[in-house]
Every structure is written in C-alpha cells, then in structure tokens.
Amino acid sequence: MTENPEFLPPDNPESTEERTAEVLPFPLKKPTDPDPAALGEGVVKPGEWEAELPDTDDPEAEGLAEGAPVDPPREVYPPSVAEWMEAKDKARMPVLPDWVKLPDQRKAVRKWAVRHYSAVAGYHAIRLPLVYTPKICLYSPRGAWRWSTAIGRWVFDAEGKGLRLAAVANEDASEYLKLSRQRNDRVRLRGIVATIGAVIGLAAALTLYVMAPSWLLMLAMAAMTTTLGAVGAPADRPLIDLAKVTFRKRKLSSDIVIRAHEVAGLTSKDQTIGFPRPIGRDGDGWRVVVDLPYGKSFKDALNAHTKVASGMDIAATQLFLDKDETSERRVSYWIADRDPLAVPSGKSPLLGATRVDFWKPFPWGVDERGNPVMATMLWLSLLVGAVPRQGKTFSARTIALAAALDPYVRLYVFDGKASPDWRTFTKVAHRIGFGIVPKAGFDPVQHLLTSLRELKADVEDRYHRLSELPLHVCPEGKLTPEISRDKKLNMPLVLFVVDEVQEYLTHPEHGKEILSLMVYLARVAPAVGVSVMTATQKPDDKACPSELRDQHQARFALRVGAYQVSDTILGAGSYSEGLDASKLLKSHKGVGLLKGMSDDSGIVRTYLADGRDADRILTRAAALREAEGTLSGDAAGEAPAPETSATILDDVAAVLGKGETKVWSETIVDRLADLRPDVYGPWAELEPKPKAEALTAALKPHGVATEQISRRIDGKVVNKRGIKRDDMATAITQRNQKRDAG
C-alpha cells in the first residue's frame, strides 16, 4: 500500500478538526505513512490525475526515462556507511510538521480554521442577546456584592483574624499585640490605597459621563457589567457557554508511565523502564517510547495492554502499541486524546476524480492517525467480513468505484441479498446480478454461473496467450498496462465482486459448482489480472468454506462478534498477533483491520461514498467508458452467449462437415443461423469480426479456443479465426464425462 502521487488526500476538515484519540489496542504499524516527497511533488488537482509522460522524441527526455543521472555522484559511500547514514536520517525529527510542508494539508488546515472559527463566532453571536445578556443582568448584582466584600476583607485584614483569635485563646499577649499592630498598619495603608482608588475611579467615571461620547459610555458600562456578571456567575454555570465539546486530556509525565508499567508487572525491583526519547505531543495524542527491562518483550507489553492503560488512567481503547524493529524490548506507545475511529474519515476522493489508473494504488481510507491508506487489487483477491450494518458493503463498494473510474477495467458485480447498494453499477458492469430468486425470466444464479464459466475460460486462455506473445510485447510473460489496454488483445484488468457470497455458495442446486469456480478464480486468476473480491457476514465453514477463504491473499475485517470470527476472516494466528476485530466498537462504522494487502497490517477507516455519491461517480464512469469505447456486456445491452451455451457444442458439431478439420468462425455462425434462426439469427447479421467474436465468447466457457486459420482464395492467403474439430470433440467428451459423473 504505497502512495499514489496521482491522488490527493481529501480536504476533510472533520478528520483534521477532531481527530483525537481512543485508539484501539492493536500493535499495528500504520498501513501507510505518507511520503512527503511523494505527496509534495507532482501533486495534481482533482480531475487531472493522468500522469504526463516525457516526449520520447526528446533525447534528453529519453535519457531521463532510462534513469541516466544528470550529475553523477562524486562520492560513493560503502554500503555499511550508507545504511548508517540512512538510519540516522530516519531517526532525525522533522523541523516542521508535515502539514506545514505539504500544500494539500496546508489547504485542509486553512479550510478547517476558517470553518471552525466562523462556527464559534456564529455560536456566540446568536447567544449574546438571547442568553448571555440575561445572564449578565442576573449575575452582576451578585458580582458587585462579591467584589465589594472581597475589597472590604482585604482592607480590614480579614485573613489575619484567625491568627489573632488563636493568640487570644492561647492567652499569648505578646503575640496578640504584635498581630494587632501589624493589622493596624495594614488597615491604615490599605485604607489609604482604597480611598485613593475610589476617588480616582469616581473622577474617571464622572469625566467619562460628562465628556465621553454616548457609545464609549455604553461600552464602558457594558464592560463593567460583564465583569461583574463574570465575577457573580456560579462555578457550575459559567457566563459563556462552550462552542466546542472538550475532551478529557492530561499531561503525560514519566512518573505516570513508570507507574503504569509497575502495576502491569513490566518492571522488577532491579530494573525499570528507560526513555530513549522525551515524551511529547504527537498529533492529537502523546508519543511515548520506552525500553522495557532486559528479558521483557513487546509481546509482554501487548499482553499487559489493559493494565498499562489502567496505570495511565485512560481507557484501554486509547492506548496504541507499535513494535520497534531495532529492539525486541523497545515499545512505542501512542496515547490518544479520544477515539479517532468514531470520527468519519470523510467523503471519498473519487468524487473529485475524472478517472483512475487501477494499475496504481488508489485512496481507500485513512488510518487511526488520519494518514492516507492506499489500496491496490493487483495480483490478489480480497475477503471482506463483518457483522451487519458496520459498513462492509460500503467499504467494498469504494474499491469497485475506483475500478469503475478506470475505463479499461472490466467489472463483474453480483449481490446475494439484492440490496440497493450495488444497483447503480448496472451503468458500467460487464456482468451484474442481484439476489438468488429468478424474476421476469432472468435467473441471477444462472447468470453468475455463466459469468464464472466465462471468466474461467478467459483465465485459461490468458495464460496460453501471454506465453505465446512476442517478447517485445510481453517481455516476461506477464500482463502489463499496455497489454491490458490493447483492445485487440482483449485482456483488460477484471474485478469480480460478490457481496453476501454465502447466499450463492449455499444454493441447493448450483452452490457446489459456484464454490469450485470461485476457488479456482481466487487461486489462479489474479496472476493474469483477474482480481476477486468477496464480502460476507457469515465467514464460517458452512456459509463460506475455508477452501475459498484461504485463497484470498488480502483480508479486511470490520467489527465482528468474537475473536474466533476475527481469526476466521483475517486468518489463523491473527489474534496472537494482536489483530482482533471484535474489539472494534459499534460506533466504528467503516473501520476494519487490513491484512495481506501489504507487508504491514493496520487499521483502515474507509472513505464514504453514499448512494448519491456512488451514482455521481458511476455516471461519470459510464460516460468515460463510452468515450473510450470500453462499455460492454450487460451495461451495453449485450447479453452473454445465450443459454445456447448448454447446446452450443452439439449445434457446432452438427454443422461441421465431414472431413472438415478446421473451419472459420464466421462460416460456423452462418451455418448455425440456418440451423436455428431464432437463436443464432442475430449473430449472422453482425459484421464478420463481431460475428466471430460472438462464437468465441460462447465457446470459451467450454474450453474451446479459436485460432488463426489460413485459406488460399483466388491465389491469396487469407487468415481468419476459426475452430478445430479435435477441440470440439475433446470439449464434448469432457462435458459428457462430467454429466455421467454427476
């Protein structure tokens, strides 16, 4: 999960304003710490996320593209010295915080400041005539009395009365006389000061009354009344209301941290903890780095997490642990001011994007500190699990929305519960289906089965074709951005999404075949650019068998009911690593633990794109695909090869002539149209190339591939795609064997 410089973090004042603290007790590293260089250089505005490549006609640009240094380094350090210098650079604290250095973050802070202080000013402006003025009038007499009483006590030395009475009670005459003389001196001096002050104050008041303009007189009276009102206000009912809720904060000291480790049993009589760096503020919390006693490890601190939090007198959900790679006994704590996971991460940056490059990481959310988390679906499959109403579908949908904004990504979307959440994807999805109940002659389960077969055949075909492409097109036999965007090769990136997958896997008739096909795709397809994302609220062995779960390289667990369920989603052993999604709270909507998408595991607060936002994004995505000519399948009104595919093998075999070993596809289509005009007639009306493609798509699910076939016509060699009789015979034999076995 590395940063994509083509994406900007959202201008999200909410996440900047109140991103303070109760962090969950997970010993996780941040999924992504933004690289200031990556975000600060080459940042583009929303709508301009397409990178401009250098002109290849420019020899200087060619040199730069090849990585040739303009000024070669004069001095090369030995590896050991270079590594030491790099470590020192990382250990050095930044002079300025990141938000000062990054233009986008400066803009976000500026927006927050304007909105925050304008809201505070408006809050008090409304309450000034309606609330504060009556309070001032009510409290000012009490304030005048308190003020005059306090002055009288000071003038007559009331604070010494207790000592004088004590001297009388003890019959200590010398002490009493001494205190009496001291009181007389004080009263004399303080009386003079009070008299002078009263005369000056009265003279100033008369002068102000006689000479000052009326507005200044009113201002002075208001100031005096307000002062008396503030003095007379009860302690539990202040004169001015708070425009912002304040959360409990305390200054964290070394004594508190040592006490916490002592009560947690992480110290001994001979050894205590050490502080390799000073305790200080870190964002909306405190950063504390400690060295545990020799023999104690990070795992010990993790196991004592609750006791450490109690020793610091904070909630357990405010303490966050990070492991230090340099020492097993060094632990980094982040003690947050309040729960940041309950604060919405804000709107998705996809709302401001004209298009997305799905080959690069895209913004998915932020971590507990508000740092952007970039996601990628290349070469992996993703499992998303949670209890209902925790944001599972919205989290998965954000990834699908990013795929939709890349016009060269083919989308398959199926929703087992037929909710409204995925309906708008009909604008862009190549194949889409909802629920498991047939309606109006359309069976969504059969549609899913047909799509899975289609994809399996496509994946098998991709492996063969990638290995056969010339080296200058496919140097390593792997899919590349250029190959995926070449319409002639027809190998785009594919995202296959199944929400509430358990509804399909438990289907009484087709569940077993769906499971088998999905296991195959999750295991094999990502390597050729076909990614699978499944979401479920029942990740148990019955509803979502382990043979499918185990094929997902990446896992995302939102709130679940028990740590066993968390382990089921994230993988066995995750709980022992400190990953437990059952500790997430109900208020943590759209928040989950991500594992396997990168080397680090971490918390992700996914961005929100509600129904209206999704519709806006998908409308833009549909227009983009139409402009690029990549709108296909169900979105373009192109139904899959008819359930002709159940009889297509027999029909093709029937139209093959005796002795024909190879036949062009368009010839086969014409013969099929004569055989079954009602079924194949529309194919015969197509142009030669689409006609051949229609037959290719229909035969793919059965493992029958097409190839170039040469014919000599009028002395010229003509190449067209066609099929081989042997391939048809093999496919029919395999189909019959499956039927017999079933």
Side-chain angles (χ1 to χ4, degrees), residues 171 238 304 320 402 468 495 526 549 578 589 607 655 675 706 734:
E171 297 181 356
F320 190 87
E468 294 171 356
L495 180 61
R549 296 196 311 267
K589 305 289 186 182
Y607 290 126
V655 299
L675 178 68
T706 59
Q734 292 177 349

Side-chain angles (χ1 to χ4, degrees), residues 150-413:
I151 292 176
R153 289 178 59 83
W154 176 76
V155 170
F156 294 102
D157 193 25
E159 67 270 18
K161 184 178 180 180
L163 294 175
R164 292 191 297 272
L165 291 176
V168 172
N170 295 331
E171 297 181 356
D172 189 345
S174 61
E175 183 67 18
Y176 176 75
L177 291 174
K178 179 180 178 182
L179 292 173
S180 295
R181 285 193 296 270
Q182 184 184 56
R183 175 189 177 277
N184 294 336
D185 293 340
R186 284 183 175 180
V187 170
R188 189 181 301 108
L189 177 61
R190 291 178 181 181
I192 294 172
V193 172
T195 302
I196 294 174
V199 171
I200 294 175
L202 182 61
L206 290 174
T207 303
L208 187 65
Y209 179 76
V210 174
M211 302 183 62
S214 58
W215 64 268
L216 184 58
L217 181 62
M218 293 179 63
L219 183 63
M221 292 178 63
M224 176 61 73
T225 308
T226 302
T227 304
L228 294 176
V231 173
D236 59 337
R237 285 176 291 174
L239 184 63
I240 305 298
D241 296 335
L242 293 176
K244 174 185 172 183
V245 177
T246 57
F247 296 89
R248 183 185 181 196
K249 281 197 248 182
R250 63 170 59 84
K251 184 175 181 180
L252 200 65
S253 66
S254 58
D255 292 336
I256 295 175
V257 177
I258 293 173
R259 178 190 66 195
H261 286 77
E262 287 177 349
V263 299
L266 295 175
T267 61
S268 63
K269 294 181 179 179
D270 301 329
Q271 297 184 69
T272 186
I273 60 172
F275 295 89
R277 56 181 277 190
I279 298 173
R281 291 291 293 176
D282 185 4
D284 296 318
W286 296 88
R287 176 63 65 181
V288 182
V289 181
V290 302
D291 285 336
L292 299 174
Y294 293 101
K296 298 292 184 179
S297 65
F298 173 80
K299 189 174 182 180
D300 295 322
L302 175 63
N303 294 334
H305 160 264
T306 305
K307 293 182 178 180
V308 173
S310 175
M312 293 182 181
D313 192 21
I314 58 174
T317 51
Q318 289 179 255
L319 183 61
F320 190 87
L321 290 79
D322 280 334
K323 186 176 182 179
D324 192 284
E325 297 179 357
T326 61
S327 174
E328 188 64 30
R329 68 188 186 99
R330 179 166 292 181
V331 183
S332 177
Y333 297 103
W334 188 57
I335 299 94
D337 298 329
R338 73 179 184 98
D339 187 357
L341 304 183
V343 178
S345 56
K347 294 285 188 180
S348 171
L350 298 176
L351 286 167
T354 54
R355 65 190 299 155
V356 170
D357 185 356
F358 209 59
W359 280 88
K360 298 178 181 179
F362 54 87
W364 191 25
V366 295
D367 63 9
E368 76 285 351
R369 298 292 311 284
N371 298 316
V373 175
M374 312 297 285
T376 179
M377 286 297 296
L378 288 179
W379 325 124
L380 56 81
S381 55
L382 173 65
L383 173 66
V384 181
V387 297
R389 291 172 293 280
Q390 284 301 129
K392 165 180 59 66
T393 296
F394 277 31
S395 299
R397 191 172 67 177
T398 304
I399 292 179
L401 290 173
L405 283 174
D406 187 334
Y408 293 97
V409 175
R410 187 174 292 165
L411 271 168
Y412 289 72
V413 177

Side-chain angles (χ1 to χ4, degrees), residues 46 74 118 127 213 297 405 499 507 537 556 598:
R74 299 179 181 178
S118 61
R127 283 159 179 76
S297 65
L405 283 174
D499 194 9
H507 190 273
Q537 57 181 282
F556 186 59
S598 69

Side-chain angles (χ1 to χ4, degrees), residues 585-647:
L585 306 179
K586 269 189 176 181
S587 58
H588 298 158
K589 305 289 186 182
V591 178
L593 304 182
L594 180 62
K595 182 180 180 182
M597 192 171 281
S598 69
D599 293 336
D600 296 329
S601 302
I603 295 175
V604 182
R605 298 156 51 202
T606 56
Y607 290 126
L608 175 65
D610 58 23
R612 292 183 179 180
D613 295 338
D615 184 66
R616 287 173 52 193
I617 293 171
L618 291 171
T619 300
R620 191 183 315 136
L624 185 61
R625 288 167 182 258
E626 287 180 358
E628 297 286 347
T630 56
L631 198 65
S632 63
D634 294 349
E638 302 170 357
E643 259 319 295
T644 67
S645 59
T647 59

Side-chain angles (χ1 to χ4, degrees), residues 664 709-720:
W664 284 341
I709 298 175
S710 300
R711 291 280 188 272
R712 185 173 294 277
I713 299 177
D714 297 333
K716 295 182 180 179
V717 177
V718 179
N719 289 315
K720 295 182 180 180

Side-chain angles (χ1 to χ4, degrees), residues 385-693:
V387 297
R389 291 172 293 280
Q390 284 301 129
K392 165 180 59 66
T393 296
F394 277 31
S395 299
R397 191 172 67 177
T398 304
I399 292 179
L401 290 173
L405 283 174
D406 187 334
Y408 293 97
V409 175
R410 187 174 292 165
L411 271 168
Y412 289 72
V413 177
F414 289 88
D415 178 16
K417 65 179 180 181
S419 68
D421 299 330
W422 297 94
R423 296 284 176 174
T424 46
F425 277 83
T426 53
K427 298 179 180 182
V428 297
H430 181 75
R431 297 284 179 252
I432 192 166
F434 307 102
I436 59 175
V437 179
K439 287 186 178 180
F442 178 79
D443 187 350
V445 178
Q446 187 62 51
H447 193 47
L448 170 63
L449 197 56
T450 302
S451 300
L452 287 168
R453 291 170 180 165
E454 178 182 86
L455 265 181
K456 180 181 179 183
D458 183 35
V459 168
E460 293 172 343
D461 186 51
R462 289 187 183 207
Y463 274 104
H464 290 297
R465 288 197 289 151
L466 286 172
S467 62
E468 294 171 356
L469 287 175
L471 291 177
H472 70 278
V473 176
C474 186
E476 299 180 2
K478 296 181 180 179
L479 193 69
T480 64
E482 293 74 21
I483 294 175
S484 70
R485 292 165 185 158
D486 191 333
K487 297 179 184 178
K488 295 180 180 178
L489 295 176
N490 193 27
M491 285 190 284
L493 291 178
V494 174
L495 180 61
F496 189 86
V497 182
V498 186
D499 194 9
E500 303 299 349
V501 66
Q502 74 278 354
E503 300 297 324
Y504 296 112
L505 297 179
T506 55
H507 190 273
E509 182 180 356
H510 301 296
K512 290 185 178 180
E513 185 176 359
I514 291 174
L515 173 62
S516 174
L517 290 168
M518 291 195 67
V519 168
Y520 172 84
L521 291 178
R523 183 180 68 250
V524 174
V528 288
V530 179
S531 300
V532 178
M533 180 169 62
T534 57
T536 180
Q537 57 181 282
K538 288 188 176 181
D540 54 70
D541 286 335
K542 183 178 180 181
C544 185
S546 59
E547 58 183 302
L548 174 61
R549 296 196 311 267
D550 293 344
Q551 303 306 325
H552 292 81
Q553 298 90 341
R555 314 287 188 90
F556 186 59
L558 295 94
R559 179 176 170 269
V560 294
Y563 77 90
Q564 294 92 339
V565 182
S566 176
D567 244 21
T568 300
I569 299 172
L570 296 173
S574 297
Y575 179 76
S576 61
E577 299 173 13
L579 304 177
D580 183 6
S582 67
K583 292 183 179 179
L584 292 165
L585 306 179
K586 269 189 176 181
S587 58
H588 298 158
K589 305 289 186 182
V591 178
L593 304 182
L594 180 62
K595 182 180 180 182
M597 192 171 281
S598 69
D599 293 336
D600 296 329
S601 302
I603 295 175
V604 182
R605 298 156 51 202
T606 56
Y607 290 126
L608 175 65
D610 58 23
R612 292 183 179 180
D613 295 338
D615 184 66
R616 287 173 52 193
I617 293 171
L618 291 171
T619 300
R620 191 183 315 136
L624 185 61
R625 288 167 182 258
E626 287 180 358
E628 297 286 347
T630 56
L631 198 65
S632 63
D634 294 349
E638 302 170 357
E643 259 319 295
T644 67
S645 59
T647 59
I648 187 71
L649 296 178
D650 298 325
D651 291 344
V652 173
V655 299
L656 286 176
K658 291 183 179 180
E660 287 185 321
T661 58
K662 299 180 180 180
V663 185
W664 284 341
S665 296
E666 59 186 70
T667 303
I668 294 293
V669 171
D670 292 336
R671 294 177 184 178
L672 289 173
D674 294 335
L675 178 68
R676 297 178 185 271
D678 55 330
V679 176
Y680 303 107
W683 292 9
E685 297 175 0
L686 298 173
E687 296 294 328
K689 186 175 180 181
K691 185 189 299 185
E693 290 176 350

